[in-house]
Amino acid sequence: MAKWLLATMALSLPALAHAGGPRGNNHGEQVQDRQELRQDARETRDDHHDLRQLESLLARYDSARGRSARRDLLQVEEELRGYVASELNESRRELSQDKKEARTSAREVRHDGYRRDDRQDHRDDVRDARQESRALQQTRSISQELNNLYGRLDSGSLTRKRMLIADLVQLARAEQSQNRQETREDRREAREDSGWH
């Protein structure tokens, strides 16, 4: 009887290992998918808040400029400086996260035998990292130019600052749009991963 039990176990172990392997891996992907969707929801809320904040700053800037209200202009500039510093930190963090996701999806491509959906996920993750990198570079460039203009109230400086604030609004809108696209992709990936059961 002991030989029969050993023989049964020996034949069953490879099948059990194979059955547990993909499912265990798929479970890990599903956990990662849920984390990414929670992150997408946070980023969507943050992006919406950022856009509203920038639109408000731009409206207040225009109002103060139209009234030649020096103190109000300087107050908007101070808030703008805080926003830009916060946005640079957020962009660096998001870029780091996007690069991490790209590395993870590259490992999945290698591990899962180059499945079509894994290759697509990796392409999406690489594209997201590139977009975030470009946004960070643009924000840095705007920040540097604004740093040279803060406190200057001549007509040319006021006009240029207004254009730079408008550029930040456009960047915030683009980021909101990219986040919606990333959320759709992450939902698609979650559906694909849950279909492997």
Side-chain angles (χ1 to χ4, degrees), residues 33-157:
D33 292 340
R34 285 191 296 272
Q35 289 171 342
E36 287 177 6
L37 288 170
R38 281 193 299 271
Q39 178 185 328
D40 290 342
R42 277 191 306 271
E43 288 179 8
T44 296
R45 284 190 304 272
D46 290 347
D47 291 347
H48 182 71
H49 177 265
D50 290 349
L51 181 57
R52 288 182 56 199
Q53 182 181 4
L54 275 172
E55 289 173 338
S56 172
L57 282 171
L58 182 58
R60 289 174 45 217
Y61 185 84
D62 286 344
S63 172
R65 185 175 170 204
R67 295 180 284 113
S68 298
R70 177 184 168 88
R71 196 178 84 225
D72 291 347
L73 281 168
L74 294 174
Q75 176 63 38
V76 169
E77 279 188 13
E78 191 60 33
E79 290 178 39
L80 181 61
R81 190 185 303 252
Y83 168 83
V84 171
S86 172
E87 184 61 22
L88 285 170
N89 286 334
E90 182 181 323
S91 288
R92 284 186 206 102
R93 181 184 52 76
E94 288 177 4
L95 178 57
S96 174
Q97 181 63 37
D98 287 345
K99 286 180 176 179
K100 179 181 173 188
E101 287 177 17
R103 286 190 304 270
T104 299
S105 63
R107 279 193 300 274
E108 287 174 7
V109 166
R110 288 190 303 272
H111 180 269
D112 291 347
Y114 298 92
R115 286 193 340 233
R116 182 179 159 274
D117 61 325
D118 286 339
R119 290 192 312 267
Q120 178 65 45
D121 295 343
H122 180 61
R123 280 192 299 270
D124 293 344
D125 290 340
V126 168
R127 187 204 59 240
D128 293 342
R130 284 187 185 135
Q131 287 174 338
E132 192 62 48
S133 179
R134 275 194 301 274
L136 177 57
Q137 289 171 353
Q138 290 172 313
T139 305
R140 266 193 202 126
S141 176
I142 291 170
S143 174
Q144 289 168 351
E145 193 168 350
L146 281 169
N147 283 335
N148 294 327
L149 295 170
Y150 287 136
R152 293 172 56 179
L153 299 174
D154 59 278
S155 178
S157 295

